Amino acid sequence: MIARLRRYLPDGKWAVIAPPYFWMLLFFAVPFAIALKISFANIQIAMPPYTSLTEWVGDTLTVKVNVANYLFLLRDSLYFNAYLSSLKIAVIATFFCLLVGYPIAYAISRLPTASRNTALMLVVLPSWTSFLIRIYAWIGILKNNGLLNNFLIWLGVIDEPLQILHTPIAVYIGIVYAYLPFMILPLYTNLVKHDNRLLEAAYDLGCRPWQAFLKVTLPLSKAGIIAGSMLVMIPVVGEFVIPELMGGADTLMIGRVLWQEFFNNRDWPVASAVAIVMLILLIVPIMIFHHYQSKELEGRLT
Amino acid sequence: MTAPLVMPEVITGLSILLLFVAMGDTFGLFQERGVMTIWIAHVTFCVAFVTVVISSRLGELDKSLEEAAMDLGANRVKVFFLITLPIIAPALASGWLLAFTLSLDDLVISSFVSGPSSTTLPMKVFSSVRMGVSPKINALATLLIAIVSVAAFIGWWLMAREEKQRQRDMQLALQQGG
């Protein structure tokens, strides 16, 4: 009897796995439900600054669902443009990350085994210093009387300093710089596993190096490319710090809009609606990432 | 478990703050936002990164070692503490280091969940960088870069020494075997 019961009781494994899952459920999944709820509330001057959805008057329960926040997002072109330009910036920055990161990952994976770890360490080493400090350093490089402009003037290439800081170009530079390790590491993990004999076989069969690359290496690294691209693109859509510090006043990104709604306008319901719409936009990429990461990211992220 | 890895920080920060506020309303928890709420939020977003690091190491783990220990009479708990844990110790260390860096460096999530009484270093740095160039930040940057360079150099040196030792041991074992 007890033996039969035990089949239905959770075993020791569950006791180990359950607490972290419960933690993530409580502090990661439930908050989205609450954000969804608050996105249907009204703003009010109080603490917390939103109205309750349900109301008990006498014996009747009234549930008020206010869709005005979402209608507001639809009507005000600021939000639509912000989503669009965030997606655009994310896609273009991811493309450049791939363009820069792929050769680096490829070169590291072809190094002798002993030097690979040193090379990988050099890739992640900058992330150990503060992210804000590195962005601050880029501001110092790109500003009008910064290192880059002074150098170019000294070379005589330009007479007037180029306006780079506070333009979209600065934002692209910042994002590609900051997210490059997230592209290189999954790509490296993939590329390092490739069997060199496949390339040799391709050469034997008469492939030129670039043909062998296009027909063998590139298709084999597809999963790594997707994992790396998602690891860059999804967080960049909601990026706040880089556009705030390096972009101009007109560099529209949705993370910045959400921040302003929350901290400057104190409009929590609209901020929640902005977050929920962003989440809906990102669900498909997150699912693609989840699918590929189980295969690809299992390597090193440190 | 992997969604927090890519979730934009503004979404995570906002929604976990709304959770804290809701809990404060209903249960009277987290009325004072400060160190406690920052801890909880940071644990939540770091867990995914640490999971990836450690699970990849566990995936490479040679199962026969654990099985050998069990054959020799160790129970599961003993196997875990005597065999599994020492083997994955480097992954635990690098997972810890990663979480430490992520937490120390985080601006967005901390800004959402911290109360008026608590500020973190990144929040200070952010507000002064927004104001423009400040010599204080330059000094901080110099300090940070110096510390990280020294730490990285020591780490690299230790790793290189261990690798050499390992190769020497392997050669010794080969010679003795032959």
Side-chain angles (χ1 to χ4, degrees), chain A:
Chain A
M1 179 68 197
I2 290 171
R4 271 171 76 187
L5 257 178
R6 278 185 87 142
R7 269 186 30 208
Y8 300 101
L9 286 173
D11 61 358
K13 236 187 234 167
W14 280 99
V16 177
I17 306 175
Y21 268 93
F22 177 73
W23 178 285
M24 294 313 274
L25 185 75
L26 180 60
F27 291 114
F28 191 72
V30 173
F32 293 141
I34 293 175
L36 184 66
K37 189 198 107 184
I38 290 168
S39 70
F40 289 117
N42 261 320
I43 185 170
Q44 69 172 5
I45 316 254
M47 192 62 210
Y50 51 84
T51 54
S52 151
L53 292 193
T54 51
E55 209 175 359
W56 277 103
V57 180
D59 288 336
T60 39
L61 170 72
T62 21
V63 179
K64 278 187 283 184
V65 173
N66 172 24
V67 289
N69 299 318
Y70 289 97
L71 291 177
F72 178 61
L73 293 193
L74 269 178
R75 287 204 192 104
D76 195 330
S77 64
L78 168 85
Y79 298 95
F80 182 74
N81 290 340
Y83 282 115
L84 210 62
S85 100
S86 290
L87 285 174
K88 190 187 111 194
I89 289 177
V91 169
I92 295 175
T94 307
F95 176 73
F96 278 104
C97 264
L98 192 61
L99 216 59
V100 179
Y102 200 101
I104 298 177
Y106 190 84
I108 296 176
S109 72
R110 290 286 164 271
L111 282 176
T113 325
S115 15
R116 271 182 213 157
N117 277 335
T118 313
L120 274 182
M121 200 167 149
L122 287 176
V123 170
V124 286
L125 194 61
S127 353
W128 288 354
T129 61
S130 165
F131 165 71
L132 282 167
I133 297 284
R134 286 179 290 139
I135 295 301
Y136 178 70
W138 269 108
I139 295 175
I141 294 172
L142 297 177
K143 67 185 176 190
N144 277 358
N145 59 347
L147 281 175
L148 181 70
N149 272 317
N150 283 346
F151 180 67
L152 288 178
I153 290 172
W154 178 78
L155 275 183
V157 182
I158 49 170
D159 302 319
E160 290 278 297
L162 295 171
Q163 174 71 39
I164 302 174
L165 194 64
H166 305 307
T167 65
I169 297 171
V171 176
Y172 284 118
I173 293 175
I175 290 175
V176 171
Y177 166 76
Y179 284 88
L180 200 52
F182 291 101
M183 181 63 95
I184 293 177
L185 293 177
L187 275 176
Y188 165 79
T189 325
N190 176 294
L191 287 167
V192 81
K193 281 187 272 185
H194 286 193
D195 190 343
N196 254 330
R197 284 173 300 181
L198 291 174
L199 278 181
E200 283 161 19
Y203 292 147
D204 283 351
L205 295 169
C207 265
R208 290 168 188 284
W210 61 268
Q211 278 176 323
F213 174 78
L214 284 182
K215 287 190 172 155
V216 180
T217 311
L218 204 59
L220 279 177
S221 58
K222 188 184 124 204
I225 293 175
I226 293 175
S229 302
M230 292 297 136
L231 205 52
V232 173
M233 202 190 84
I234 301 169
V236 167
V237 170
E239 180 59 47
F240 163 73
V241 178
I242 297 172
E244 179 73 13
L245 293 179
M246 297 179 78
D250 56 338
T251 311
L252 210 52
M253 281 192 81
I254 198 66
R256 227 174 152 184
V257 171
L258 192 155
W259 183 282
Q260 275 158 9
E261 285 299 342
F262 183 83
F263 286 102
N264 304 2
N265 302 349
R266 302 211 159 268
D267 194 339
W268 292 20
V270 166
S272 305
V274 169
I276 293 296
V277 173
M278 199 191 324
L279 198 62
I280 291 167
L281 281 178
L282 292 177
I283 274 180
V284 173
I286 288 173
M287 276 159 69
I288 296 174
F289 170 72
H290 187 80
H291 176 74
Y292 279 93
Q293 88 87 37
S294 40
K295 287 192 276 183
E296 273 311 306
L297 214 70
E298 294 191 348
R300 47 190 79 223
L301 207 99
T302 45

